[in-house]
Amino acid sequence: MQQLLDQLKQQFGDAVIETSSFRGDDTAVIKVSHLIDVCRYLQESCSMNFLMDVCGVDYPERKDRFEVVYHMYSQSTRKRIRLKVRVTEADPHVPTVIGIWKSANWFEREAFDLFGIIFDGHPYLRRLLTYEGFEGHALRKDYPVNKRQQIPTPISLLD
Amino acid sequence: MARGNEFTDGFLTTRLDEVVAWGQKNSLWPMPFGTACCAIEFMGVVSSHFDISRFGAELVRFSPRQADLMMVMGTITYKMAPILKRVWEQMSPPKWCIAMGACASSGGFYDNYSTLQGIDEIIPVDVYIPGCPPRPEQVLHAVLRLQDKITGKDRPKYDRVIPILPAREVRNS
């Protein structure tokens, strides 16, 4: 299983910042600039055909505050891998991977909705779980626990 | 043929609104607004074992225009709130509302950014049912209490307007 991480390190060199392997969970932290290349490589050469989840994580104490985590699975080799990219609060831009896995669409909208991470190139980056007019991003650690927003009024049923 | 006692045998007198209320209370048509597990419990109430039709409220309508009892069963999020309000407004008066379960009554344990702390923040509620989820007997009890209310002196005020709450801070417990 270590093999896949070694393969990534060999292929992309410095773009792989760190790797870890805990009880069979292989994780690679990579540079945002190489995200599309790494994902395309995993999908085309390592048969990682199934993007299971994309989510955001907030680490307020870090310089690169946000992390975007991708979980991939290969239905033919039955292997899994986890990719992480780190972005700052000032520049929370990550390229979209919709071109590689279509399932990324709603995952990325969810991460945008709850963490405010902007996925460049996303065709329809709109809030998914909260509503239009919601202020702020609810799963950021500095979102006030006791804040209640105005209850929305009925909206037009046509989009 | 003897005549003279038509007005003592076979007649009873009442007031029109009382006899109308008597009819209404015995033929409540519920509109189930089920968003969570309480709606599953409601299926048990409607089915033969508990059988809500013993109290005349078995005719479940999935169109608000044909119903006069809204039963809100489950968690209502801020995103769902305008939909619930619109469905309630589509019901024609007279209409009543039962908040079933902890979530619909008070938000339950979802005291967070996304959940309405009780549907009475947006629509008037006549009967609240505690429980997570409530027993079917509690739902039947709620229907009986609503029937008392319909024929009683404090007829529910279904046209009460609830003002929209502004953004605010709640007490952090």
Side-chain angles (χ1 to χ4, degrees):
Chain A
M1 226 11 250
Q2 194 67 33
Q3 190 191 346
L4 196 57
L5 290 178
D6 291 338
Q7 218 173 318
L8 275 186
K9 274 190 254 183
Q10 200 180 5
Q11 193 78 17
F12 294 98
D14 288 346
V16 181
I17 298 168
E18 60 180 77
T19 61
S20 65
S21 192
F22 178 72
R23 295 184 188 232
D25 281 351
D26 288 355
T27 307
V29 184
I30 57 170
K31 287 182 180 166
V32 184
S33 53
H34 289 70
L35 175 71
I36 293 294
D37 293 341
V38 174
C39 285
R40 200 169 288 286
Y41 174 77
L42 284 172
Q43 200 256 358
E44 285 172 1
S45 308
C46 308
S47 68
M48 289 288 169
N49 61 333
F50 184 32
L51 179 69
M52 293 192 298
D53 197 10
V54 178
C55 52
V57 191
D58 185 3
Y59 295 102
E61 70 283 358
R62 288 189 188 169
K63 188 167 71 66
D64 294 334
R65 181 176 163 184
F66 297 109
E67 210 164 58
V68 184
V69 186
Y70 299 78
H71 295 88
M72 290 83 145
Y73 177 67
S74 165
Q75 286 174 308
S76 52
T77 64
R78 301 197 174 182
K79 286 179 177 170
R80 295 162 198 269
I81 190 167
R82 180 185 298 138
L83 284 188
K84 293 180 177 180
V85 294
R86 289 170 183 161
V87 289
T88 59
E89 188 180 358
D91 183 33
H93 287 265
V94 177
T96 178
V97 295
I98 291 181
I100 303 164
W101 297 282
K102 275 189 175 173
S103 62
N105 192 325
W106 279 24
F107 295 147
E108 292 181 345
R109 280 178 63 185
E110 183 188 9
F112 163 73
D113 184 359
L114 299 176
F115 289 96
I117 293 156
I118 296 161
F119 292 88
D120 295 323
H122 193 291
Y124 194 60
L125 197 62
R126 222 182 67 166
R127 287 184 181 275
L128 179 68
L129 298 177
T130 60
Y131 41 89
E132 289 293 300
F134 190 93
E135 286 171 13
H137 301 283
L139 287 194
R140 286 188 176 190
K141 296 285 184 196
D142 53 6
Y143 186 85
V145 164
N146 52 356
K147 185 177 176 185
R148 297 290 178 271
Q149 307 221 355
Q150 182 169 336
I151 297 168
T153 45
I155 53 164
S156 164
L157 297 177
L158 300 173
D159 208 10
Chain B
M1 201 169 150
R3 305 185 61 177
N5 55 352
E6 293 96 334
F7 293 95
T8 52
D9 299 342
F11 276 88
L12 60 93
T13 56
T14 180
R15 281 166 45 215
L16 180 63
D17 56 349
E18 277 181 13
V19 75
V20 167
W22 175 83
Q24 283 167 344
K25 83 164 194 178
N26 288 306
S27 69
L28 290 166
W29 288 24
M31 144 98 210
F33 197 93
T35 51
C37 31
C38 281
I40 309 295
E41 205 69 9
F42 178 72
M43 295 178 200
V45 183
V46 178
S47 305
S48 54
H49 192 83
F50 291 98
D51 199 6
I52 202 171
S53 68
R54 292 182 291 155
F55 308 99
E58 80 280 19
L59 206 57
V60 174
R61 295 281 104 178
F62 292 96
S63 163
R65 297 175 200 284
Q66 299 172 349
D68 57 4
L69 168 62
M70 157 105 59
M71 297 190 71
V72 182
M73 308 173 277
T75 323
I76 301 297
T77 59
Y78 275 57
K79 200 172 183 176
M80 201 64 177
I83 298 157
L84 173 64
K85 197 172 172 67
R86 172 167 282 172
V87 171
W88 170 254
E89 284 164 358
Q90 282 172 345
M91 287 170 63
S92 53
K95 55 188 175 180
W96 299 279
C97 179
I98 291 178
M100 177 175 173
C103 292
S105 305
S106 68
F109 49 73
Y110 301 107
D111 185 6
N112 59 20
Y113 65 91
S114 66
T115 307
L116 212 59
Q117 300 300 295
I119 57 166
D120 50 7
E121 290 190 7
I122 51 167
I123 60 173
V125 177
D126 296 303
V127 182
Y128 299 84
I129 314 176
C132 185
R135 288 282 309 163
E137 292 92 332
Q138 289 177 268
V139 183
L140 298 178
H141 187 219
V143 170
L144 290 176
R145 287 305 310 277
L146 183 64
Q147 291 184 344
D148 292 347
K149 235 178 151 174
I150 291 170
T151 45
K153 284 200 177 105
D154 55 337
R155 259 175 86 83
K157 294 185 172 56
Y158 46 79
D159 51 354
R160 186 157 58 91
V161 177
I162 311 267
I164 294 172
L165 287 173
R168 65 207 182 281
E169 277 202 4
V170 294
R171 194 154 45 87
N172 195 359
S173 50

